[in-house]
Amino acid sequence: MAATTAPKRILVIEDNEKNRKLFELIVRSMGYKCLLAVDGEEGIRIAAEAIPDLILMDIQLPHMDGVTAFRHLQQGEGTKGIPVAAVTSFAMKGDRERLLAQGFSDYLAKPIDVDELRRVIGRLLEESRHGE
Ligand code: MN
């Protein structure tokens, strides 16, 4: 018999408390475990320690922006294969293409559309499972 499957873990890197709580609520409502980080440095540290199944990365972060934090993750042996979805509050034409070209697995614009967030999480976790 297969061992009991542990719940997938999603790391949310987001400096805005309200958004962090919203992400956490949605992630937990889907039955996944939610890890939280308030900035890029903390996110990189938690990602390296926990190796989550998926990361939701706010792009507008203090100290280190989300694109820079993502580059650090891509250079980490344990973290480079983790799918990372970019979340941005200044949705401008071309954002999506630019972020996907930089290697992000998907893109979400704030204000967060809950249904779209659920779809993106479901899709990326499904893809990562196929990679196992
Ligand atoms: Mn932010």
Side-chain angles (χ1 to χ4, degrees):
M1 289 293 288
T4 305
T5 309
K8 297 267 185 179
R9 293 164 310 143
I10 300 177
L11 171 60
V12 173
I13 306 175
E14 164 66 78
D15 61 313
N16 180 280
E17 189 180 1
K18 267 189 171 173
N19 284 326
R20 220 164 41 236
K21 291 219 162 111
L22 174 65
F23 282 128
E24 183 179 28
L25 199 70
I26 295 164
V27 165
R28 292 176 65 169
S29 78
M30 294 177 78
Y32 304 124
K33 188 169 161 55
C34 189
L35 309 173
L36 297 168
V38 300
D39 62 27
E41 288 90 346
E42 187 182 40
I44 291 164
R45 194 180 70 242
I46 293 176
E49 285 169 8
I51 313 293
D53 300 284
L54 169 64
I55 297 172
L56 302 177
M57 175 80 82
D58 182 25
I59 297 303
Q60 287 81 30
L61 289 168
H63 319 303
M64 178 196 289
D65 66 65
V67 173
T68 306
F70 175 61
R71 294 220 173 92
H72 283 273
L73 293 173
Q74 284 182 308
Q75 286 159 17
E77 199 53 46
T79 55
K80 65 184 178 191
I82 302 170
V84 182
V87 183
T88 180
S89 35
F90 304 104
M92 298 206 296
K93 203 163 179 254
D95 261 5
R96 182 187 181 83
E97 290 68 26
R98 180 174 59 83
L99 290 162
L100 294 181
Q102 284 168 333
F104 284 94
S105 296
D106 212 327
Y107 165 85
L108 288 157
K110 292 180 193 172
I112 292 302
D113 177 321
V114 173
D115 290 335
E116 191 189 3
L117 174 60
R118 285 170 171 270
R119 261 199 310 277
V120 166
I121 289 173
R123 184 177 75 75
L124 292 178
L125 287 178
E126 180 70 18
E127 281 179 8
S128 74
R129 189 161 68 225
H130 290 158
E132 278 171 10

